[in-house]
Amino acid sequence: MQGIRIYEMPDCRMVSSGTGQFGGEKLDGFAAWFSSLPQGIFPKDYLFWNGEGFEWLYLYEEGMDVPAGYKIVPFKGGLYAVATDIDQQTDMDAMAAEVDRFLAANGLERDPERPQLGNIITSPAAREILGYEQMDYYVPVRAQEGKGNNGNG
């Protein structure tokens, strides 16, 4: 069984919280806004560190009512290696090593041109049962230079 999966996101537009910190008005307000939207099968929010603070993105859909103060920004999609673990309990070094082993074995490498993303995938009902939240960690990847299908699929 593989513990890492490959996910492809298309180029799209996202609503951005702008840079903020947890406990601050910017991120708390953004979380309250997108949490009030109808829930789908999969989460549509992605959090990342932009070098100055946290930035939250939410998949923009035509006709969406975006509150003042949030911008609609382009998002460059691509391939991501995705690992799942317990939020705030992840051994980041062990996860990075597992991702790197998977990438090396499958002709992929990290793509430093795009940010790593994360999102909570646990519903409130599941969180109540489990007592914790699961988080997906998205590592941007690309084919190793000169590599194509390595015959593993």
Side-chain angles (χ1 to χ4, degrees):
M1 178 202 298
Q2 290 186 330
I4 306 296
R5 66 187 189 279
I6 296 295
Y7 186 73
E8 185 172 6
M9 289 188 195
D11 291 347
C12 60
R13 295 189 301 165
M14 300 267 194
V15 180
S16 170
S17 65
T19 302
Q21 298 295 327
F22 283 102
E25 183 178 327
K26 201 172 265 194
L27 291 184
D28 287 354
F30 194 78
W33 168 68
F34 78 73
S35 296
S36 72
L37 299 174
Q39 245 187 330
I41 295 174
F42 300 105
K44 298 177 184 178
D45 66 295
Y46 300 90
L47 182 71
F48 70 100
W49 178 260
N50 68 14
E52 298 176 17
F54 289 102
E55 186 172 343
W56 225 323
L57 300 174
Y58 190 87
L59 180 62
Y60 176 76
E61 296 172 357
E62 285 301 321
M64 181 179 277
D65 184 22
V66 177
Y70 304 134
K71 293 181 181 175
I72 300 170
V73 299
F75 178 81
K76 177 149 179 53
L79 295 175
Y80 288 83
V82 184
T84 304
D85 206 349
I86 298 173
D87 185 34
Q88 300 183 16
Q89 295 181 30
T90 301
D91 180 333
M92 299 303 284
D93 292 334
M95 182 181 69
E98 183 178 351
V99 167
D100 288 341
R101 280 190 298 275
F102 175 87
L103 298 180
N106 289 284
L108 296 162
E109 64 186 11
R110 290 174 182 262
D111 181 355
E113 301 299 315
R114 295 180 290 134
Q116 293 188 45
L117 307 169
N119 69 1
I120 299 296
I121 60 172
T122 309
S123 71
R127 177 181 53 237
E128 187 173 321
I129 294 166
L130 295 172
Y132 60 85
E133 294 176 310
Q134 292 178 307
M135 183 164 180
D136 272 350
Y137 296 89
Y138 293 76
V139 176
V141 299
R142 61 187 177 206
Q144 287 178 348
E145 193 168 315
K147 299 274 183 163
N149 183 346
N150 66 3
N152 286 341

